[in-house]
């Protein structure tokens, strides 16, 4: 299969298309043909900082954590998925787990879910890590209906999901932004925008 490999880390690190062995699904895994993947802040940090960042893979590596795609084969013991299922998840690109900037990933079936039918592959691939981060942040903070919640960076990768989830949990949501286009988007997503450059938060 083809993968975008990073051969060394640093500010000038580049990704190169290379032929690598296609993985197979071992027990508890599914083999997914990747249709879309996304790049998170942490992927860019790994590229730049390499082994200075805990859990960075050894180079050469395939980076990328998020993906959406279609299951092509199933390992022993996997019950909740079938060949042909459209799925999305966050399952590689850290430590010894190959990433998603590739044609295929053999992913732990506990790290993926069925793709909602109303999302495209590209939309679904944009959600997992940022969505998990936003969800865990709100739930660990004990969010409750009727609370006032402040989301910093409400148009960022994590922030724009946190803002919408906070509304879903019934909160009255406020969110910081650094310019007019961001303020407009926050308003459109249903929160009260605060310009952190011109107002005191
Ligand atoms: N992306 C992930 O999956 C993920 C996972 C785990 C942890 N994290 C962490 O979560 C944080 C956000 O990540 P991200 O990927 O969402 O980043 P991002 O997409 O680059 O968004 C960053 C946001 O921060 C806002 N911002 C910048 N300076 C600010 C300031 N002085 N006051 C208030 N807001 C400010 C920006 O707002 P303006 O553009 O309006 O200025 C922007 O909305 C980072 O610390 C990242 O390491 C991210």
């Amino acid at each position: 299969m083809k993968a975008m490999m990073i051969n060394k880390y640093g500010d000038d690190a580049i990704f190169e298309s290379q032929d690598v062995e296609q993985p197979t699904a071992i027990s508890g895994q599914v083999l997914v043909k990747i249709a879309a993947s996304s790049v998170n802040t942490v992927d860019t940090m790994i590229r730049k900082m390499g082994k200075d960042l805990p859990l960075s893979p050894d180079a050469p590596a395939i980076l990328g954590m998020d993906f959406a795609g279609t299951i092509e084969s199933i390992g022993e013991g996997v019950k909740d998925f079938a060949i042909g299922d459209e799925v999305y998840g966050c399952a590689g690109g850290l430590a010894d787990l190959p990433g998603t900037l590739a044609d295929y990933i053999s992913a732990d079936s506990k790290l993926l879910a069925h793709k909602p039918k109303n999302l495209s592959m590209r939309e679904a691939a944009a959600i997992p890590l940022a969505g998990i981060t936003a969800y865990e942040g709100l739930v660990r903070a004990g969010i409750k209906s009727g609370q006032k919640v402040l989301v910093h960076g409400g148009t960022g990768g994590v922030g724009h999901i946190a803002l919408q989830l906070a509304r879903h949990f019934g909160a009255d949501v406020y969110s910081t932004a650094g310019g007019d286009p961001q303020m407009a988007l926050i308003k459109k997503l249903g929160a009260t925008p605060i310009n952190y450059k011109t107002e005191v938060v």
Side-chain angles (χ1 to χ4, degrees), residues 40-41 45 129-130 133 152-159 176-179 182 196-197:
N40 286 292
T41 301
M45 290 165 70
L129 183 59
T133 306
H152 276 299
T155 59
V158 175
T176 54
Q182 296 98 311
Y196 67 81
K197 291 185 177 163

Side-chain angles (χ1 to χ4, degrees), residues 17 25 42 45 50 54 69 78 85 94 102 115 123 141 146 152 157 165-166 170 195:
S17 177
V42 67
M45 290 165 70
V78 175
D85 282 358
L94 271 188
K115 180 181 80 63
E123 288 167 338
H152 276 299
L165 285 177
N195 188 327

Side-chain angles (χ1 to χ4, degrees), residues 111-133:
L111 301 180
L112 44 101
H114 288 101
K115 180 181 80 63
K117 294 224 174 328
N118 61 337
L119 294 185
S120 69
M121 289 286 189
R122 290 172 70 173
E123 288 167 338
I127 290 177
L129 183 59
I132 292 163
T133 306

Side-chain angles (χ1 to χ4, degrees), residues 82-186:
I83 291 170
D85 282 358
E86 294 188 339
V87 293
Y88 70 134
C90 174
L94 271 188
D96 58 352
L97 299 174
T100 57
L101 301 179
D103 287 335
Y104 288 89
I105 184 169
S106 54
D108 184 334
S109 65
K110 294 196 206 79
L111 301 180
L112 44 101
H114 288 101
K115 180 181 80 63
K117 294 224 174 328
N118 61 337
L119 294 185
S120 69
M121 289 286 189
R122 290 172 70 173
E123 288 167 338
I127 290 177
L129 183 59
I132 292 163
T133 306
Y135 177 86
E136 289 291 333
L138 293 167
V139 170
R140 289 185 197 187
I143 187 169
K144 289 192 181 55
S145 181
Q147 284 179 328
K148 281 187 163 54
V149 169
L150 173 66
V151 175
H152 276 299
T155 59
V158 175
H160 84 291
I161 299 179
L163 184 165
Q164 294 173 79
L165 285 177
R167 284 197 65 222
H168 173 75
F169 284 120
D172 180 14
V173 187
Y174 298 76
S175 190
T176 54
D180 288 340
Q182 296 98 311
M183 300 272 286
L185 178 57
I186 286 171

